Amino acid sequence: MENPNIFFGESCKAQFVNIIYKHLMKKEWFTNADVMAEYLNLKSANDLPYSVTKCDNYTQLKKAFNELKTALTDKMGTDCIESKGGNRDKSFRYTGSDPNPLEEMRKAMAINSIQQYCQFCQDSAGFFPTSWLEYFFKDCKDLLAIKKKRQEGKQILTSSLDRILSNFDLLPLLYENINKHTVLSIKYKPYEEKEVMDLVFHPQHLREYNGRWHLFGKAEDRTPEWTFDIAIDRIIGKPRELYKVKYEAAPDNFYKEFFKDKVGVSHIPGNEAVDIIIRAHSINMYKLTETKPIHHSQKILSDFEEHEDGSYGDFSIHVELNNELIGRILQMGDGLEVVSPDCVRKIFADRIENMHRLYAKGTESTDKDS
């Protein structure tokens, strides 16, 4: 069923309605060309490539204007919008006394947005961790609808990742502790440690990478004290809340800056971000890295084309070197090659040589037998 609220949604008609209403409430003259220019993110109507009537979606613009005009005149009277000029350059202006006559309809749009998000949560029980949904929908009839839809196999959002990970049920609790600024006592056992670590921990940030969740924050009397990384599947037992310890929050934008030059979550102290040039040796790999970049800093250096030494295209990324970056590039196989800098290229070359040595062991006896 079509939504009766003309402001709601991401359709081009709804976008036109919101743009037109904004222009009308200014009580200044404007044209359809002005609306189309804003819709196309142009500086002005003079930047339109051709007449507004020849632009794509012009029909939707006209429909949006007519529906909005009907809504306004129903409430304010037929003389609340005046016009001047001919059909090609007609201008419009709002002359009503109410500065926001459709305020209630626009507020209802926000309610619809919340309802739409609720529907999204119901449909995505196969995507979000189950424990997350059950925590926040506890004692809510929506949880029954979510479970019923999942049991009947009617989920329309699912994930290819295996999300059965130890301590997933801690996610919503940790999320709330961050919001409540609560210090935690956490028993933690990293892979490389023999003993369990007893941490007094100030949780500040949750980050997911490749299906695994990490909790970052301040760990008192530990190194590093700040940006201490806890893989939640290595937490032992349930964290306890320490209300007598004063919480220390991270500065604004701290984690945005911390992760800016990283792929994944790991950080090696002393590692600085460097420009790494990567070569794609097939058009498919070139296009894949174009639509699914390795990092947000990715820049194309050369289009995929024929060269004297083969066909390839180059791009660069500005990142810190860590295990996640190495793994991400190596999983592309021989489709990608790290070209420079030499120190980074050598690390990849050593990894590949070690892999070759391992696989060569398994094929020697097979070759002899054949």
Side-chain angles (χ1 to χ4, degrees):
M1 184 176 69
E2 187 176 352
N3 197 306
N5 191 325
I6 58 176
F7 290 98
F8 181 69
E10 293 298 325
S11 68
C12 62
K13 188 171 78 170
Q15 292 181 59
F16 281 134
V17 167
N18 283 279
I19 294 171
I20 295 167
Y21 188 74
K22 182 179 70 175
H23 278 284
L24 286 169
M25 293 307 104
K26 291 179 181 178
K27 293 192 172 185
E28 298 173 356
W29 291 104
F30 70 97
T31 66
N32 283 332
D34 295 321
V35 175
M36 183 63 75
E38 184 168 342
Y39 172 75
L40 295 174
N41 292 317
L42 302 176
K43 290 183 179 180
S44 72
N46 294 330
D47 295 326
L48 287 175
Y50 25 70
S51 168
V52 65
T53 58
K54 294 181 180 179
C55 290
D56 289 341
N57 297 322
Y58 174 70
T59 302
Q60 293 299 311
L61 188 159
K62 293 291 290 183
K63 286 181 180 179
F65 198 108
N66 289 334
E67 291 184 21
L68 181 57
K69 184 178 180 180
T70 299
L72 281 169
T73 54
D74 284 349
K75 185 166 185 178
M76 301 297 297
T78 56
D79 59 348
C80 68
I81 298 177
E82 62 177 337
S83 61
K84 67 178 182 179
N87 288 333
R88 289 182 175 273
D89 59 350
K90 183 174 284 190
S91 299
F92 308 91
R93 184 174 65 176
Y94 172 68
T95 58
S97 57
D98 192 329
N100 193 4
L102 301 182
E103 181 179 12
E104 292 303 316
M105 186 180 289
R106 288 171 64 79
K107 283 182 179 178
M109 179 181 69
I111 294 172
N112 280 330
S113 296
I114 293 171
Q115 291 172 341
Q116 186 186 40
Y117 181 69
C118 246
Q119 182 63 51
F120 166 75
C121 288
Q122 287 191 1
D123 288 334
S124 60
F127 186 81
F128 289 153
T130 303
S131 58
W132 189 277
L133 290 169
E134 291 187 350
Y135 186 91
F136 287 105
F137 281 85
K138 185 180 179 181
D139 301 324
C140 174
K141 67 179 182 180
D142 285 316
L143 181 58
L144 298 175
I146 290 171
K147 286 183 176 180
K148 185 172 184 291
K149 185 169 284 191
R150 187 170 64 235
Q151 290 167 355
E152 293 176 350
K154 294 181 178 179
Q155 233 60 57
I156 61 174
L157 279 168
T158 57
S159 169
S160 62
L161 290 174
D162 181 5
R163 294 181 176 266
I164 304 174
L165 185 69
S166 298
N167 291 335
F168 248 4
D169 56 311
L170 295 180
L171 268 177
L173 176 67
L174 297 173
Y175 167 80
E176 286 211 331
N177 287 139
I178 293 173
N179 277 329
K180 292 190 299 183
H181 288 185
T182 306
V183 180
L184 298 174
S185 172
I186 297 177
K187 292 186 177 296
Y188 181 58
K189 190 177 185 304
Y191 290 118
E192 66 275 10
E193 298 288 338
K194 293 182 179 179
E195 302 295 329
V196 174
M197 303 169 67
D198 286 308
L199 302 176
V200 176
F201 197 77
H202 303 246
Q204 298 166 342
H205 189 86
L206 278 166
R207 184 174 176 88
E208 182 269 347
Y209 181 74
N210 204 24
R212 195 180 191 206
W213 284 86
H214 296 252
L215 176 68
F216 286 82
K218 176 186 176 181
E220 294 188 3
D221 302 321
R222 297 286 177 173
T223 302
E225 184 178 34
W226 289 84
T227 67
F228 194 96
D229 174 9
I230 294 177
I232 70 161
D233 56 308
R234 303 298 295 171
I235 293 175
I236 308 297
K238 185 177 180 180
R240 291 186 299 106
E241 297 175 334
L242 303 175
Y243 291 105
K244 291 184 179 180
V245 181
K246 186 178 180 182
Y247 179 85
E248 291 188 48
D252 291 344
N253 293 318
F254 180 83
Y255 284 98
K256 179 181 177 182
E257 289 297 314
F258 179 71
F259 290 116
K260 181 179 67 175
D261 298 329
K262 295 177 182 61
V263 172
V265 296
S266 65
H267 169 67
I268 301 172
N271 264 16
E272 298 291 334
V274 295
D275 289 318
I276 300 175
I277 297 177
I278 301 172
R279 179 163 293 169
H281 284 280
S282 73
I283 185 63
N284 288 341
M285 188 58 67
Y286 181 81
K287 290 297 183 184
L288 177 62
T289 54
E290 193 175 39
T291 56
K292 190 180 179 183
I294 293 173
H295 189 255
H296 64 79
S297 65
Q298 189 164 311
K299 295 178 181 177
I300 294 175
L301 300 180
S302 66
D303 293 331
F304 190 89
E305 56 190 8
E306 286 281 348
H307 300 269
E308 290 184 2
D309 54 345
S311 298
Y312 55 80
D314 292 343
F315 61 91
S316 69
I317 53 176
H318 184 78
V319 291
E320 290 182 18
L321 187 67
N322 62 11
N323 285 329
E324 291 96 317
L325 172 67
I326 295 171
R328 178 75 183 276
I329 295 175
L330 287 180
Q331 76 178 8
M332 303 297 188
D334 60 359
L336 292 183
E337 174 194 1
V338 174
V339 177
S340 69
D342 289 341
C343 58
V344 175
R345 181 180 171 88
K346 185 178 186 309
I347 290 171
F348 279 85
D350 290 344
R351 287 283 186 105
I352 293 168
E353 184 178 347
N354 289 336
M355 290 172 64
H356 175 72
R357 190 179 301 115
L358 289 174
Y359 281 96
K361 291 178 183 177
T363 57
E364 288 173 0
S365 58
T366 305
D367 291 340
K368 290 177 182 179
D369 293 339
S370 60

